[in-house]
Amino acid sequence: MKVLVVGSGGREHAMAWKLAQSPKIQQVYVAPGNGGTAKDAQLINVPMTDLVQLRQWAIDNHIGLTLVGPEAPLAAGIVDDFRAHGLRIFGPTQAAAQLESSKAFSKAFMERHGIPTAEFETFTDAALAHAYVDRKGAPIVVKADGLAAGKGVVVAMSLTEAHEAIDFMLLDNTLGVAHNVGGARVVIEEFLMGEEASFMVLCDGKNVAALATSQDHKRLLNGDEGPNTGGMGAYSPAPVVTAEVHARALREVILPTIRGMDKDGINYTGFLYAGLMIDPQGRIKTLEFNCRMGDPETQPILMRLKSDLLEVLLAATSEGLDQLEMEWDRRVALGVVMAAAGYPMNPRKGDPITGLPKDQDDAMVFHAGTTEKDGQILTSGGRVLCVTALADSVKQAQQKAYQTARPIAFDGMQMREDIGYRAIKN
Ligand code: AMP
Ligand code: GLY
């Protein structure tokens, strides 16, 4: 079978790398891919981002299965379109993808179906939003409605920050949020305390299968300080997701979400990612939904997947997940992101990357914002690489990931030095 992975990040590099290990696969294509997928002899990049063009390419090239990494093509309806042309594709439809593409939709959905989440209100009018924030006080969280590449959330510790966020989200759109119908909107919600975890499942429209648990680090700087990013590192499993929390997440969040979508007339297929806040008593609230796997969480998760990813996806596209038992490596996987100068606001492109090591079974350099030019790898985006290692403990996986990252260099490189610290017992 020939398979196509859509996307160009570290997540898609990991998906393509994992799929290429399947004995049933003739060829893995990545559209458009990056410098890492270009360099990998097992993978072929297809330099296309236009979805109609890509669908025609998939038909012409007899692609047996398409896997979509990022949210933008899902929100644009790639699944609806590929299916309408008889192509097998794993992901949510455009209607289902609203769980991620609109915070206002997902918050109203959670409220309607009794799924635990922070108290909130939605605004289009800046004056009303300012008045609400003054009434509620800080800390408070301001979220842009619309896809914003992980940058549309401001956790405001002061009223000043909250007011500023309202202005740049509702009036200026300095973040470049892709607005939904009706224009700029913000969700303003209660600040939650606790520890975060990424809880991901596969849905085949009928059954749900949980992936290994994970946790990422969203802030730019050590100690979870600085601005929010798409994610500076991740590890799997997440110790905060105990067996009890796992059961609760399925019972209180995931299953009611799938059932709620069904009640609203939307059959959910694809990955579903619930960002959870877990309090010290093990109670959970849903911070957000994503309709895809997380990046960088995918990199450590897929390094731990022992099952054939193609088999998993074939089951997931034929209502067969109840027949499948996924096998996971008992070891810990930990990935460290190396980001470009200026990330997250203004990442610089075009810096040459040196010192890239050879891939190993237990230490992989997944590429994200890279491109290959005349045999050289250059930076081409915010998150450049995710160096991911497998080892017996979090501490050892952390050491190995940083050791693997050490020889890699590019101008202005930003890397946290403490990925995994919450999971390391002193
Ligand atoms: P989201 O994209 O909605 O998950 O928000 C991005 C990040 O902002 C989350 O991973 C949290 O770290 C933080 N965050 C979002 N909502 C809240 C909240 N209600 N309380 C505290 N932190 C939050
Ligand atoms: N790492 C968080 C996300 O993919 O949204």
Side-chain angles (χ1 to χ4, degrees):
M1 183 181 278
K2 295 190 205 167
V3 300
L4 169 64
V5 176
V6 178
S8 63
R11 167 184 48 214
E12 291 76 33
H13 187 188
M15 287 170 162
W17 162 82
K18 183 68 196 166
L19 280 166
Q21 294 168 13
S22 170
K24 290 198 177 146
I25 283 189
Q26 191 186 337
Q27 184 61 53
V28 180
Y29 297 93
V30 191
N34 57 37
T37 54
K39 200 163 68 88
D40 187 327
Q42 307 246 53
L43 310 174
I44 297 180
N45 281 356
V46 180
M48 259 179 223
T49 48
D50 178 78
L51 299 184
V52 173
Q53 203 188 359
L54 192 58
R55 175 244 294 156
Q56 198 51 48
W57 180 90
I59 295 171
D60 296 342
N61 288 276
H62 309 286
I63 297 300
L65 174 74
T66 300
L67 173 61
V68 188
E71 58 279 17
L74 295 166
I78 189 174
V79 169
D80 312 66
D81 179 75
F82 272 47
R83 281 189 191 155
H85 289 83
L87 292 162
R88 186 168 185 152
I89 183 166
F90 186 60
T93 59
Q94 185 172 39
Q98 290 177 92
L99 271 185
E100 172 166 5
S101 62
S102 169
K103 296 266 186 211
F105 175 93
S106 72
K107 292 293 290 191
F109 172 87
M110 287 190 262
E111 189 171 52
R112 188 158 71 242
H113 295 287
I115 295 158
T117 189
E119 189 202 317
F120 73 102
E121 268 192 48
T122 302
F123 298 92
T124 50
D125 182 290
L128 292 177
H130 286 302
Y132 181 77
V133 160
D134 281 332
R135 206 162 63 242
K136 290 286 176 181
I140 194 158
V141 182
V142 186
K143 303 186 173 188
D145 182 58
L147 295 180
K151 290 175 285 184
V153 173
V154 172
V155 178
M157 298 317 283
S158 68
L159 280 177
T160 314
E161 275 179 275
H163 288 303
E164 276 170 14
I166 290 168
D167 284 341
F168 72 67
M169 287 182 196
L170 279 183
L171 307 177
D172 310 331
N173 195 20
T174 38
L175 294 172
V177 174
H179 289 150
N180 291 306
V181 180
R185 256 185 305 191
V186 291
V187 167
I188 302 183
E189 69 177 33
E190 163 201 8
F191 173 76
L192 299 174
M193 303 251 268
E195 195 170 338
E196 282 181 56
S198 309
F199 196 88
M200 288 173 228
V201 302
L202 293 133
C203 308
D204 64 9
K206 221 165 140 186
N207 312 288
V208 165
L211 295 171
T213 60
S214 61
Q215 233 167 336
D216 82 347
H217 292 266
K218 292 226 167 83
R219 302 296 192 107
L220 182 68
L221 305 174
N222 289 341
D224 295 318
E225 303 278 341
N228 259 317
T229 69
M232 293 299 290
Y235 50 98
S236 171
V240 65
V241 185
T242 58
E244 196 187 324
V245 170
H246 196 281
R248 260 180 118 143
L250 278 173
R251 192 174 64 236
E252 295 175 12
V253 179
I254 300 293
L255 297 175
T257 299
I258 306 293
R259 275 200 296 269
M261 289 299 266
D262 251 335
K263 275 189 206 146
D264 294 348
I266 301 172
N267 182 249
Y268 199 96
T269 53
F271 292 106
L272 178 63
Y273 166 144
L276 304 178
M277 187 70 94
I278 301 159
D279 78 7
Q281 284 75 42
R283 288 177 301 213
I284 54 187
K285 285 201 173 155
T286 313
L287 289 173
E288 64 163 345
F289 286 117
N290 295 318
C291 59
R292 50 169 176 85
M293 283 187 78
D295 189 335
E297 294 95 318
T298 301
Q299 293 84 316
I301 288 177
L302 289 186
M303 269 191 93
R304 292 187 58 222
L305 179 65
K306 289 170 95 175
S307 313
D308 181 337
L309 180 58
L310 178 67
E311 300 281 1
V312 173
L313 295 174
L314 290 177
T317 46
S318 61
E319 294 190 350
L321 284 177
D322 55 335
Q323 305 294 317
L324 185 94
E325 188 81 52
M326 273 181 277
E327 262 192 87
W328 301 98
D329 197 311
R330 298 181 66 85
R331 289 176 293 173
V332 174
L334 183 142
V336 175
V337 168
M338 304 177 86
Y343 181 72
M345 281 328 231
N346 264 314
R348 192 171 74 203
K349 298 179 181 177
D351 290 309
I353 305 171
T354 57
L356 286 166
K358 277 212 160 42
D359 292 336
Q360 299 163 48
D361 285 345
D362 56 0
M364 282 291 303
V365 180
F366 293 114
H367 288 230
T370 72
T371 181
E372 190 181 38
K373 202 174 162 211
D374 308 325
Q376 198 178 29
I377 303 286
L378 306 176
T379 64
S380 68
R383 289 182 294 173
V384 176
L385 303 166
C386 180
V387 183
T388 312
L390 261 179
D392 287 325
S393 67
V394 185
K395 182 100 206 155
Q396 286 169 320
Q398 186 191 53
Q399 275 167 356
K400 192 179 215 157
Y402 281 108
Q403 219 168 44
T404 309
R406 198 166 302 134
I408 308 173
F410 50 92
D411 260 6
M413 187 268 285
Q414 305 189 75
M415 178 176 77
R416 280 182 58 163
E417 274 141 35
D418 62 349
I419 299 304
Y421 78 89
R422 284 178 197 276
I424 294 173
K425 310 245 169 354
N426 291 314

